[in-house]
Amino acid sequence: MYIDYERIIAAMAVMSAATADFFSYKGDATYFYPGLGACGGHSTSSDLIVALNTQKYANGKHCGKQIAVHYNGKSVDAKVVDECPGCGSNDIDLSPAAFKKLAPLDKGRIQVTWEFK
């Protein structure tokens, strides 16, 4: 009996990438003043948007997707419009409007959980 291990490994990689979007992540959230984002559109400080770290941004794979961000019993949905090269592996950078839905801007950095919707 012949087993095509390369095909099995390739299928497992596809399944792993597809299910990665269903995980919840824990990381730091900061805020930034947007403009032209890596996804190609212009945003303002009043938009509910987010920049993902380079790995999660995945060359624009998540542009336009929504994430749900949670902190201290509060939540906000934000649209992926940008990349945050300086963010750590599960960290995100929110617009001021999105950040303010969770905490005052003077907090600067908060530990959140978030997931793709």
Side-chain angles (χ1 to χ4, degrees):
M1 174 167 139
Y2 172 76
I3 298 175
D4 188 345
Y5 288 106
E6 287 182 22
R7 180 176 259 171
I8 292 170
I9 291 169
M12 289 173 60
V14 168
M15 289 181 354
S16 175
T19 58
D21 289 353
F22 297 105
F23 292 113
S24 182
Y25 302 98
K26 184 176 183 179
D28 287 347
T30 52
Y31 66 92
F32 72 109
Y33 292 98
L36 176 61
C39 293
H42 287 273
S43 301
T44 68
S45 295
S46 62
D47 294 326
L48 298 177
I49 59 166
V50 63
L52 300 179
N53 70 68
T54 299
Q55 180 186 13
K56 299 281 185 314
Y57 178 74
N59 292 319
K61 173 185 171 189
H62 298 293
C63 286
K65 290 186 180 177
Q66 294 280 324
I67 69 167
V69 186
H70 315 282
Y71 174 74
N72 261 3
K74 297 178 182 178
S75 293
V76 65
D77 291 344
K79 181 179 176 182
V80 177
V81 300
D82 207 350
E83 178 180 13
C84 178
C87 288
S89 116
N90 293 323
D91 297 345
I92 56 175
D93 214 3
L94 298 166
S95 64
F99 192 96
K100 285 194 279 190
K101 297 270 186 188
L102 304 172
L105 291 182
D106 62 4
K107 276 280 229 199
R109 179 179 297 271
I110 55 177
Q111 191 167 71
V112 298
T113 57
W114 64 274
E115 67 273 345
F116 289 101
K117 293 187 77 173

